[in-house]
Structures are given as C-alpha cells and as structure tokens.
Amino acid sequence: MELSDANLQTLTEYLKKTLDPDPAIRRPAEKFLESVEGSQNYPLLLLTLLEKSQENVIKVCASVTFKNYIKRNWRIVEDEPNKICESDRIAIKANIVPLMLSSPEQIQKQLSDAISIIGREDFPQKWPDLLTEMVNRFQSGDFHVINGVLRTAHSLFKRYRHEFKSNELWTEIKLVLDAFALPLTNLFKATIELCSTHANDASALKVLFSSLILIAKLFYSLNFQDLPEFFEDNMETWMTNFHSLLTLDNKLLQTDDEEEAGLLELLKSQICDNAALYAQKYDEEFQPYLPRFVTAIWNLLVTTGQEVKYDLLVSNAIQFLASVCERPHYKHLFEDQNTLTSICEKVIVPNMEFRAADEEAFEDNSEEYIRRDLEGSDIDTRRRAACDLVRGLCKFFEGPVTGIFSGYVNSMLQEYAKNPSVNWKHKDAAIYLVTSLASKAQTQKHGITQANELVNLTEFFVNHIQPDLKSATVNEFPVLKADGIKYIMIFRNQVPKEQLLVSIPLLINHLQAESIVVHTYAAHALERLFTMRGTNNATLITAAEMAPFVEVLLTNLFKALTLPGSSENEYIMKAIMRSFSLLQESIIPYMPSVITQLTQKLLAVSKNPSKPHFNHYMFESICLSIRITCKANPEAVGSFEEALFLVFTEILQNDVQEFIPYVFQVMSLLLEMHKNEIPSSYMALFPHLLQPVLWERTGNIPPLVRLLQAYLERGASTIASAAADKIPGLLGVFQKLIASKANDHQGFYLLNSIIEHMPPESVDQYRKQIFILLFQRLQNSKTTKFIKSFLVFVNLYCVRYGALALQEIFDSIQPKMFGMVLEKIIIPEIQKVSGQVEKKICAVGITKILTECPPMMDTEYTKLWIPLLQALIGLFELPEDDTIPDEEHFIDIEDTPGYQTAFSQLAFAGKKEHDPVGQMVNNPRIHLAQSLHKLSTACPGRVLSMLSTSLNAEALQYLQGYLQAASVSLL
Amino acid sequence: VRKHSQHMKLFKNKGKDETSLRRQRVEVSIELRKAKKDEQILKRRNISIHVKEENPTLGQGRSFEIIQPSLEEIMEAVNGDDTELQLLATQAARRLLSRHRDPPINQIIELGIIPRMVEFLGRADNAGLQFEAAWALTNIASGTSEHTRAVVEGGAIPAFISLLSSPHMHISEQSVWALGNIAGDGPLFRDALIARDVIPPLLALVSPATPIGFLRNITWTLSNLCRNKNPCPPLDAVKKILPVLIFLLQHEDKEVISDSCWAVSYLTDSCNDRIQVVVDTGILPRLVELMDSPDVNVVTPALRAVGNVVTGTDQQTQEAIDAGVLTVLPRLLRHTKPVIQKEAAWTLSNIAAGPCQQIQQIITCGLLPPLVELLSKGDFKAQKEAVWVVANFTTGGTVDQVVELVRSGVLKPLLNLLLAKDSKTILTILETISKLFMAAEKLGETEKLCLLVEELDGLEKIENLQNHENDMVYRAALDIIEKYFSGEEMTDLEPQTGQDGLYDFSVEKEDFNF
C-alpha cells in the first residue's frame, strides 16, 4: 500500500464502517482491514490518519486499530515470519513518541500503550534513543506532554517490580537509571516547586499531582530490585520531599466524593508504599529517615476521616506501622506509654468501629458479610489492618497494650450500659477489640488456637457475652448477638466446657432470630461445638448432655430453614447433619417429621440446585437418618424407600445431574440394609443402570459402581436367573471402565464383585475374554494403579476358582502365559499392593499358587517357585499401612479426598470394608505355614530341598518364624 | 534462577536439584548498588605527611617556606638537567598528588613526565630523587585504571621491582606500595608483575624484624597479587605466596591479619582445585578462630574466606566443619552488622546444601535457633540468605531433620517472608513449602502441616500470591493451594463409544509379551 491520499481515503471509509452497529456492514470492513494489515505502510497510514484526519472519531478509531495491530503483530516469534516490515518498524519508532505527546489524551493513551508493547520487545537494544527522546520532553514545561512521558515510562518500568533478577534485566535497569534517574529527580523537585507557586490554582494542581503520583510510582519501580547508587546518594531529596507531601493538605484537592479516592489520597498511598519498600529492603540506609515517616504516617492516620475513599490509604498506612513496630530496633519508637496510648486511641480504636457501610452489609448483603467476617476475606479492610497493628504491637508490648485497651473496653462498655439502644456500636467495638487482642493464631477448623494470656476470656464471656444472649428478645441488637455468637465460636477452645454447655440452649434459641447473620452464626457455632474433641478423640459434647435439647434443637434447625433468606442455608444444613451424627438414636422419635421435611426440601431444591454445599449436607443428613434408624430397626428401610423413591424417580427422570450421583449413593445404602433377597423394585431398575448414557458422566461412575456392587452382593443369583441376558451389558460396563486410566480401578471393583458373587456357571463363557481384555491393557498401557488392581483381581480369582484353574485359563490363552505373568508381573510387582485386605487377598492367592498348583512343582514353572515364595514373604514383611480410625463424624466437605464438582462422596453413605477372604483365612502367615506343611506332606523332601538351596537367608528366617507360630514343621 | 544459574550446572552435585546447590560467589557483571563499603581497598594514595621531615635532601632554609611552582615549571624542571631542580619539581609534583582533595592526576599525566620519573627511579646515586619519584608515581597509579596504565606504560614495573631491593628501606617500602596499586588494577597488570618475578624479592622483605608499618604495606600488596579473577593468579605464584600468608596470619597486628585474610579470601573465591590448595595448608582452624575475632575488619575477610571454602566439595566443606565453623556461626548470625549476618547466612546455606550428615551437624551445633531469629528479624539481605539455608536444608535433609527444622519454629518467619518484595525469595519459599509438604506426606502429617500453615497466616498469604504478577510465583502458589488446600481433583476420562442399548462386551485376542 502506498502512502497516498487515495489509500488514506479508502482506509477512512473502512474504519468508519467498523463502527457501524450493523454487523452486515461492520464485519466485512473488519475482515478487509485484517486482510491488508500485512501490507507495507499500513501502520503508517493509520498513524497519518490518527494525526491528520478531519474527523475526530476517525482519529480515535485509527489509534485503537493501530494499538491492536501492534499488539497482534509487533512481537517476532521464532520460526514465524516477521509480520511488520523493517522500514515500517523504523518509521513507527521514529514517529510515535512525538505523535503520542502531541495528541489529545484519548489518543495519547492508545499510543502510550502501543509504545510499551513495542518497548517490551525492542527496548533497550533495538530502541536506544527512546529514553533520551522521553527525557528531553521533561524540559518542555508542558505537563500534558510530561504526563504522557511519565505514563509511558511507568508502563515500561513496572515489570521491574515482579521479575526475577537477571543480568539482562539489571543491564536494562542500569541503562534506565543512567538516563532517567537524574532528570526524574529534577522533575520531581521542579514539580513540587510548581505545586507551591500554583497552590491556589485548582486545575494546575490537578495536573501537577497527577505527575507526582506517576513520579512516585516510577520511584517504586526503579528502586524495587535493589537500592540504586543514584537513589542512595539522593535519598535526602526524595525522602524529605516525600515526607513533606505526606503532611501536605490543600483544600483545592479535597474531593466531595465519599467513595472514590482523590489525587491526594492516591499520592499519599503510593508514598506509604515507597516508605514501606525502603523500610523492608534497605533498612540500613533508610534508618535515619524512618522515625520521621512513622510520625508523619501516624499523624496522617489521626487526621484522616472515616469515608470509604480513604480506605486504601488508611490500610496502607496502618500496615506500614504494623510492619515497622515488629522490628526490634524500632521498638523504641513505640515504647513510650503516651505514644502507645495515642496509637491505640487514635489509630486502632477508630478504625475498628462498625461503620455505616458495615451495617448496610449486615442487613442487606448478609452472605457477603458472613463471608468476610467468618472466612477472613477482609484483607484490605481497615478493621483488618487495625487488627494486624494490634498483633504487631503485642509482639513487644503485650502487657501495656492489653492494659490500655482494657481501659478502652471498659469505658466503651460503660457507654453502652448507659444507653444500649443508642450506644450499641460501642459494645461492638469493645468485643472486636477484645477478640483482636486475644487471638494470636486461628484456623477455620479449630477457631483460636493461641490466645493472649493477659485477657480473661471466660470472665468477659460470662459478664458481657452471655447476658446479651440470655436476653429474652432474640431480635434486639442483632449485631451484638452476632458478635456474641462469634465470640463463642472462635474462643470455643479457650472457654471452659461448662460455659459452652450453658451456651448451647442460648445458641439453639438464636436459631429463631430473624437476622440472617444471627441465625446463621448460631447454626455455625453449634456445628463447630459439636465437632470439638474431648478425651479419647470422642466429641467433647456428648449425646447424653444434649438429651434435654434434642427436640428444640431439631425444631429450631428446621424452622430456621423456613426463615426468609435461609431456605438453602448451608450452615444450617451442616448443623443438621452434625446434630444427627452426634445425637444418634435419640433422633429416632422425631424421624417421621424429619424425613418428611428433608424429602420436601429435596423435592424443592431439585427444581434448581444452586447451593452445592447445602445439597451435599442435605444428602448426608438423609444418609444419617437411614443409618441411625435402620441400625435400631432394619425393617424401617421399607418406609424410607417409600418416602424417598418417589422423589428419586423424579430426579432420575428429570435428569437432575447434580443430584444423580447422590441418589445412587443413597440407593446403595438402602439396598445394603436389606438382609434378604433383592426386592423386585430394585430389579426393575437394573437394566437402566447399565445404560451407556449414565456411564458417560464422570460423576456417576463411582456411585453407580458402588450401586452395582450392592446389586451383586444382594442379588447375584437373581441376576443370573432372571437377567442373564444383561450379563454381557454388565461386563460391557466393566470393559468401558477398564479402557480408561482414570476409571480402571472402578472397573476392577465391579469385576471383583462379579467374580466373588456371581454363580460360576453364569460367567463361564466370558472368563477367558475378561483375561484377554486385562492382558491387552497390561500390554498397551500399564500404570501402577492398574497393576495393583490387576494383582488383587488375579489373586481373588485364584482364591475363588483355585490355582489350577488360574494356570489353565492363562495357558489356554497363550502357551506359557502363566509363567510369564508370574515372572514379569506378580513376582516383581507384588510389593506395590497396598491396603490390608488387598494384601491379604494376594497372600492367600499366592499361597494357593505355591501349594495347590501341581504344575508349579513339576514343570518348567518350578523355577519360579522360590522367587514367588520370596516375593510373598516380602509382601508380609513390608511395613503395614496405618489404618485410619473411624473419623467420619468429624468429616468436612473440604476434607473429603474425592470431593469434586462432578461427584461428591457422601461420608455417611460409607461402605464398610469388605474382606472376601475374611472367613477363610485369619492370619495369612500361619495360613502359608500350614499350606506348606500340607504340601511337604504330599511330596516329602521336595519343599525342604528347594528352600535350603535357593531361598535367601533373611526370608528363610522369617519363614521359620511362621512355621513356629503355626506349630508345624516341613518334611 | 538466581544469578548463579550458569555456574550451578558446573558445580552441580549429583542427585540434588538446582536450588540445593552450593552457591558460589560469582562476580555480578551488573550492580545497581553503590560499590560495597565492606570491601578491601583496591588502590591507595600516600597522603601521609610525616615523611617530609625525614627527607634528608631538603635544603635547610627551604623546608619552612615551600613555594609551589606551576605545572609548567614542574615539567621544565623534571625534563631539565639540573638535579636539584629535578628533585624540587618532583617533590612539588608529589605534593600536589598528595593533597587531600582532588589531586591533579590527569594534569600531571598530561605533562608527559611519567617516563622521566620512571627514569629517576633508577638513580641509585640520588635516594631523595628516587623516593620522591616513587611516591609521585604511587599516587598516580592509585587513580583510575587509565592512570595506572599510564604508569605501567611509562615502564615503571621493572624499575619498582628492582627498587624492592633498595638499601633504603623507605624507598623499598614506597615501591611495595606502588606495586600494590599496580597489582590492584586487575588481572592483567597483576600477572604482568608476577611474570616479572615480583614475588621473590617481595617475600624476601618479610622477616620478624620488618617494622610493622612496612609489613602492613607488604601484606596489602601481597593481597592484591592474590586478588581478582578471570583469570585467577597463576598457581605457582599462589603456592609461593601461601606459606608467607600463613605466617602473617599468625601476626599480632590486626591490619596485617585483616589483609592476610583478604588474600586468603581471594584465593578461595575460585574453583574447587584452588580451594584445595588453600585447605591443604591446614589454615582453616586459624581462619575459623579469626572469624570469632572482636575486630570486624578481621571477621569480615575471615568469614568470606571460610564462606568460599564451603562452596567447594563435600570434603572441603567437611574440613571447614571440622575446623569448627559451625560453632562460630551462631554468633555471626546474630552480629550487629547486617553484612556479617548476610555472609554468615550465605555460608550456612552452602553447608546446608551438603549431605544429610552435614545437615545433622548444623542441628547438633545449635544453628537452628539463630537461623530462626535471623529469618524473623534480621536485615532483609540476611533474611534472603536465610531463606536459602532453609531451602537447601529441606532439599537435602532427611525427613527427621526436616521435622526438627519445623519444630525449631522456622515456619512462622518463613511464611511471613512471603510478603517480601522480591519475587525470587517468594518463589524459593513456595518451593520450600512444597518440600515441607512432601516430607509431611511421608509422615502422614499433611493435615497437621495444613493447619499449621493456616494458623500462622500462611494460607492467606499463599492464596494472595495467586494474584502475583510473576508467572512462576503465581503457578507455585496455585500448585500448593490445589494440592494441599482444596481437596479438588479432576479426572480426565477418555470416553469410549458404546453401541446401541447397552455396552457390548467383546475382545479380540492378540499376542502378549510383557
């Protein structure tokens, strides 16, 4: 494309079209521009247009198009063609800076962005004169131009704040410092002087302060990696001026806006950051200036108002003080009692106050309020910063600070007592202060774990928290009630148990409060109390202690779910689950009403499931209801089925994907409760469970496998007789699962159940195919997980069908197959098997191969006999896995290992571990000894001679131990 | 990767990953900071005045009213034939070059009188002239590299070397000084001196009778002959100097000891073979003893020397440990000077990069408490090094040792440093936390560690780092959160198409061979 008027005209027309709201016009124009952007001169045409076009809209459009063009094309990617020709690149770099600086702001911003994109690639090597060109403009005196330069510099240099040190990076920074540091410093001084000469000119001040903010930002970037020599030498200039800017105020710069921070706040915030950077990294050099900054920042805090627009400045400033006061060598700055008092009084207390904005959130946006207050997403808030400062000060001055605050707490409480309805915020601040003073360490799971010993938490609790909660009116002063409940919650490990027991009825009572925050906190507090551990790892609060409150607890919990705003409140549902789990059989009398309410809730939320945690705890509660009731009365399973199946059917029919995995788990639980033959209602469903569409969803697989296992356990013979035509479909599911590396273990669960429970004749015709399939996986993509499952299955098969049958079926697939599997898979890999039951199955299976498989004694397989025995002894002598005790009461959704969006394992639908060889073999070592004894009796001398010639000494020693324990000897 | 990356590969220990490697002291080609104040001085100007009184050639009447001639007059007189004027002019030049502020080195060089002054060095008949010329040239050589080069190019090297054996001690001493300035300029001139056989006559000057001031000068010049890398000084020169250095290290004068230590620190700031040459002299116990000196000018170079030794092989490090370095380090980690803290932590980080037996000795010698103190309240430079100690310790330590480390309270300050304004430090900490979790997993204590990290406000900090601008930092934080604090696990299933109705169970046989 030539740089001709005609082309400019064409381009103008197309640019105009790209602004057209009609896509039929816009799209082709965009397409056209894209098609010509590879042509030489295209970017130069755009630059010409953005400078010279008659229409402003075209100028802006050209500048945006130009920036996007640069973004897409400037970078030269290795092995890809250079998308912008060299002469265009040179021309762009030669013209863009003056063009940017002479353009109106709207266009300047686009060009400034473009410069930084180019700079990221070309600066400094391929754009050596950029810096000089920029620096020269500092002398222009035109702050429109200067701010353009500063903004561009900021976008070029800000990466110094986060990149790793490297020679390349530091070379660049050095170059920048050499060219830029001195002019920047001069500009800084000149700008400050101009600020005082124009102190009465609002519009000039605004421009000048924008420059100062950018200069302060550049200072931060240039000083980030290390303290440059230049800035060390000129620290006096910079710090003195920063310091005086911190103390500066000018009415003309104050803004009326309550929310948005003004220029003055932004500048001071950045200066706080700069001071914090120096204090953290260059302490040695910064030390002489630091005390001045501490005083200035503290004065700043004392004089800054409560408006939201100051929040960032205030929390930055407080964080600065918090980080300094922890350092041993600055201790003295804070040591003085007057200083401490003043900081406490004027900095900490005011910033802990409950503000109008907090009150608004408490009432109208309670979910957000709870998230911030309970879950600690309050990092940048003033309250949080004030809290951090308290903690910092407590490091050296715990005693004095506690003393000062005690005075405040008392006077605030007195204020409150004088007129509670007007002064309730004073009490809120008092409670907050006590909390922040007392808590040294905290976790979600356990609340406060380390407390300030100087604060008497129990006394405060008894005198100031309990009275509020004991008040007859649960809806009065909701904020204070929430504070009180939160106090119990977080100090639950510090307050003695008898006080917790006193609180329980109070908490139950507050489940009725109208305020969402209050009843949510009450439910959450109860739930947390119920998970506390007492002695012997049992719950601290026992079912017996809860006996008097069972009815009211259950009633209030379910009633709380009907309060406005809480119909799917996860904290309440979790409290229901935890209560069931704690109370156990004492909930049985209330079961008819409970299960009705739960099914109604289930029906209601299944229309539009939106709260995953609520749903999860709801299903857990259903499982608990079933388990607790059926444990006492197994016959009751029928009534649960009656109550639930209707809803379940609806969920399955409407394909409520979120709930289907849960439904399968509950059904498994119900089916396992049946002692007799499988009911026909379940059998009718069986073919549907094999539908491929169900198995395509990841989340369905574990619960469906679990359900099919329940079918096989309870109804294998029914399936064999009444649904024999479905067996290929069942094995098809197995094949589908085994084909996936992620789900193969699930396939093995299913296969193990089939082999264990199905009558042998019903699967006879498929057995060989099963092994062929497994061998294929083994050959093509074996993983450790697959091998472990495979070994367990092979040995289970051996236990069920006998070692000879195993050998025969292997060798019928391919000659010498049995030997190959032993040698290449079983012997080398058996030690990988983990899990007690799994190891036991393998031990029994291998024992059978060793002692009940004649080909092992008299064919070429004999050479594998000793290695196999040795592998078995190795399996025995590996350190045992520690079994995990029954901890399900304490379970949390976040702890569940399998928790994921697609499928959530229900802890209370848990399957008891099944040991298929449990009855047959108690101690597998003794079983080995006895089996060897039997073998040696059958062929005297053979076993002994094999052992003595080839078994290694260590293994032999273990073996002798087994024989002794079994009181047998070998012949 | 730290600035040491390219060197790491060379010094890589087998079986350890990059972060755990001993980190050599590598000269940074780029420095933003001011030149280090704790370094030994490279070149010195002689501005002392007391020598003037001893000057035997000064005429009686003149010594009281010195008339300073102009530069041109100096030039004329130096180039002239009048011996007395030569002396006076040289003396005047020397005086200009010795003044406290702004010595006119450039102007003197521009007079072109250097060759002539070098010539004066050879005037064995005129000790006064020799001395004044030597002094003036010393001060010219004390300037920039260009200044030094002017002196060397004037032919001063052989002249000064032969003056080492001058019968006049003050001349010999001034020559030692001048040679020190030339050697200090860099490896090129240093090796030029060595090639001219400067070492034997220099070493010959050292004897129990050498006056202390003279001995200090000799020691300093020797240290400059050991100084500088790329290349390091020739091996046979080093071997000649070392026995004398060992002798000087036993001296009672602090300055002599300090400069000898600096010399040793230069010799050890090199490859492992060179470290071995120093270790073989058996000097380590003395160096460790000196690390404990009350004089910071001795501690600094002694610590550097030992710190360099432990960048070497496991065996070399073991020798330093056997010499007692670990018993001295606790005090240095708590030193009031930040640079000493930093060097001490750097030294410890390299010991922690060793095998677990050496890590055990770190524990046994009680290094963990001062380490934790340093991490929590040391100067930032020292904290950064302390982070490396923890990182290396966690990489190479056994599970038990790592447990011991956590028990010592390292976690809290380590997590606090996640707020540091330095991406590399943050990344190193995150990597260390991952390793701690790996150890916890082996013990089945993952949950406990999770709680501990949360309790110490670490979780929140790690969560915030997921917003960090640096990509590697962000990824490392994300990785920890996903692995240990979310419990979520994604499976990717490869779906297989089923046939109509139910899945079809069928297989085709192939040949198996595992």
Side-chain angles (χ1 to χ4, degrees), chain B residues 15-209:
Chain B
K16 293 226 170 165
D17 72 18
E18 205 174 27
T19 49
S20 77
L21 297 171
R22 298 228 159 94
R23 292 166 307 126
Q24 295 267 324
R25 187 191 302 284
V26 174
E27 253 159 273
V28 218
S29 40
I30 309 297
E31 199 52 82
L32 302 177
R33 281 253 180 192
K34 255 187 186 329
K36 291 187 194 95
K37 298 156 209 156
D38 55 314
E39 298 277 351
Q40 191 198 19
I41 269 169
L42 263 177
K43 296 178 187 173
R44 301 179 303 159
R45 204 147 58 86
N46 185 354
I47 49 174
S48 59
I49 32 166
H50 67 274
V51 193
K52 197 162 61 186
E53 264 65 55
E54 301 165 11
N55 195 331
T57 54
L58 267 178
Q60 281 269 320
R62 285 217 188 110
S63 70
F64 297 106
E65 36 172 328
I66 295 166
I67 302 151
Q68 187 62 50
S70 71
L71 288 174
E72 270 119 62
E73 287 168 329
I74 291 178
M75 180 173 71
E76 272 173 34
V78 165
N79 289 332
D81 297 324
D82 183 331
T83 319
E84 180 138 348
L85 285 180
Q86 283 172 353
L87 173 64
L88 286 172
T90 307
Q91 198 173 42
R94 181 268 293 168
R95 236 184 277 119
L96 283 173
L97 291 166
S98 305
R99 76 179 184 214
H100 264 278
R101 294 181 145 266
D102 308 320
I105 301 183
N106 278 330
Q107 288 96 308
I108 300 276
I109 293 176
E110 278 160 21
L111 297 179
I113 54 174
I114 289 179
R116 187 74 171 153
M117 286 192 178
V118 170
E119 207 183 303
F120 295 164
L121 292 178
R123 293 276 192 81
D125 57 321
N126 191 342
L129 188 58
Q130 275 185 316
F131 177 72
E132 290 295 346
W135 188 345
L137 288 170
T138 300
N139 285 2
I140 295 173
S142 77
T144 64
S145 252
E146 259 169 64
H147 300 156
T148 313
R149 179 151 23 97
V151 173
V152 172
E153 282 170 358
I157 290 181
F160 275 125
I161 291 178
S162 57
L163 276 186
L164 287 175
S165 324
S166 162
H168 306 283
M169 190 187 281
H170 66 289
I171 295 176
S172 156
E173 182 174 357
Q174 195 57 57
S175 307
V176 168
W177 192 328
L179 290 168
N181 279 341
I182 295 171
D185 186 71
L188 193 68
F189 290 160
R190 177 202 64 202
D191 289 348
L193 290 176
I194 292 172
R196 289 279 188 158
D197 253 344
V198 73
I199 293 171
L202 188 61
L203 295 182
L205 295 171
V206 179
S207 83

Side-chain angles (χ1 to χ4, degrees), chain A residues 162 174 226 229 233 280-281 284-285 384 391 444-445 449 692 736 743 776 779 813-814, chain B residues 31-34 381 421 423 447 454-455 457 460 464 470 493 496 501 508-509 511-513:
Chain A
H162 56 81
K174 209 169 163 61
D226 203 346
E229 180 166 6
D233 291 342
Q280 189 191 79
K281 297 187 84 165
E284 237 183 322
E285 295 82 0
R384 171 57 186 276
R391 280 218 222 171
Q444 285 288 320
K445 208 165 182 176
T449 51
K736 157 91 181 156
N743 296 319
Q776 267 180 19
Q779 174 135 307
I813 290 169
Q814 188 176 304
Chain B
E31 199 52 82
L32 302 177
R33 281 253 180 192
K34 255 187 186 329
K381 294 186 285 289
K421 295 177 200 305
S423 304
E447 203 197 345
E454 187 185 352
E455 203 177 76
D457 298 331
E460 186 179 271
N464 286 339
N470 188 299
L493 171 77
Q496 238 196 4
E508 272 172 42
K509 161 137 175 44
D511 280 331
F512 299 112
N513 189 9

